Amino acid sequence: MTAPTPPESTPADSSPAARPWYASALLAVAAVTLLLLAAWGYARLRSPYPYYGTSYPAGTAARPFSGTDQRGQPFTFTPGAGADAGQVTAVFFGFTHCPNICPLSLTYLNRVRGALTPEQQARFQIVLVSVDPDRDTPERLNEYVSFFGKGSTGVRIPEPALAAVARDYGVGYQKADVKGPDDYQINHTTATYLISASGDLVLVWDYTQLTDVRRVQADLEHVLEAS
């Protein structure tokens, strides 16, 4: 008689134990921390100084442009050379019929300029490039920039040269809400570009950042000192 076969033992469940919730939470926190550190490190590689504005990679050259200034005189911007050698320049693209963004930008840029020492002011210039050459005559530009303070230059560049300059700076603009040949608005990029005395694009501020005059001033003073 054959002896009965003993029942096979059931192997223990070899699946891993469920991870405690707090372990998953710690791993998630660690992953987010690493991501933030990587982003911070990349920003520091682009610029060791912690700018308030968004910095460009070192050595990004600003492009020159020419037009007519608010006095009706020929105007040429040559970053880091000629009359612009030694000058730190804030370039802003806008138009005189702008209802809010442009006047706010020029207001705060001039407040920043007013907070500088006389020596620093002498090395800092603000340039408004009009994206509305059809309506922004030199006379109108003169009235407009003069209202916001000294040290600002309004520049009119006719088409198609204006489109080429805008592309060089990554600026977009387009007529909107058109009711007639002289009744329209223009949607446009709201950035201000800061260019060093050596002619490099250092950083860009959005118009919403310009209201923090102290932090914008700190960025500008660092560029003035480093130039």
Side-chain angles (χ1 to χ4, degrees):
M1 181 175 178
T2 305
T5 304
E8 296 181 359
S9 59
T10 303
D13 186 2
S14 59
S15 60
R19 181 184 295 137
W21 69 267
Y22 56 82
S24 297
L26 287 173
L27 287 173
V29 170
V32 171
T33 301
L34 288 173
L35 181 62
L36 292 174
L37 286 173
W40 181 87
Y42 177 69
R44 296 290 72 76
L45 285 174
R46 286 167 63 97
S47 171
Y49 182 80
Y51 286 116
Y52 174 51
T54 302
S55 61
Y56 283 90
T60 302
R63 299 296 300 272
F65 55 82
S66 298
T68 303
D69 69 15
Q70 75 267 27
R71 294 172 293 275
Q73 299 298 313
F75 176 89
T76 298
F77 177 54
T78 51
D84 298 296
Q87 291 287 307
V88 173
T89 306
V91 175
F92 168 67
F93 291 75
F95 64 115
T96 63
H97 289 79
C98 181
N100 42 43
I101 293 172
C102 304
L104 283 174
S105 296
L106 285 173
T107 295
Y108 284 106
L109 285 171
N110 276 284
R111 286 185 185 178
V112 172
R113 187 177 187 277
L116 302 176
T117 67
E119 292 77 14
Q120 291 171 327
Q121 289 182 17
R123 297 185 55 223
F124 176 56
Q125 59 184 350
I126 302 166
V127 177
L128 165 63
V129 177
S130 171
V131 291
D132 188 12
D134 291 340
R135 293 184 298 184
D136 285 346
T137 63
E139 293 79 14
R140 182 167 179 86
L141 283 169
N142 184 51
E143 180 182 359
Y144 190 76
V145 298
S146 297
F147 175 81
F148 293 98
K150 299 178 180 179
S152 299
T153 299
V155 180
R156 179 185 180 274
I157 303 174
E159 297 286 9
L162 174 61
V165 173
R167 283 195 302 271
D168 286 341
Y169 284 82
V171 171
Y173 62 98
Q174 184 177 31
K175 287 183 179 180
D177 194 24
V178 179
K179 297 181 177 65
D182 295 316
D183 188 3
Y184 55 86
Q185 292 296 317
I186 296 182
N187 295 330
H188 62 91
T189 302
T190 60
T192 296
Y193 304 86
L194 190 66
I195 301 164
S196 71
S198 59
D200 289 337
L201 276 165
V202 180
L203 59 88
V204 57
W205 296 298
D206 184 69
Y207 87 100
T208 58
Q209 294 180 294
L210 296 177
T211 58
D212 196 332
V213 172
R214 182 185 60 81
R215 297 180 73 181
V216 172
Q217 180 186 351
D219 280 358
L220 175 56
E221 287 179 337
H222 178 78
V223 175
L224 284 164
E225 291 170 4
S227 298

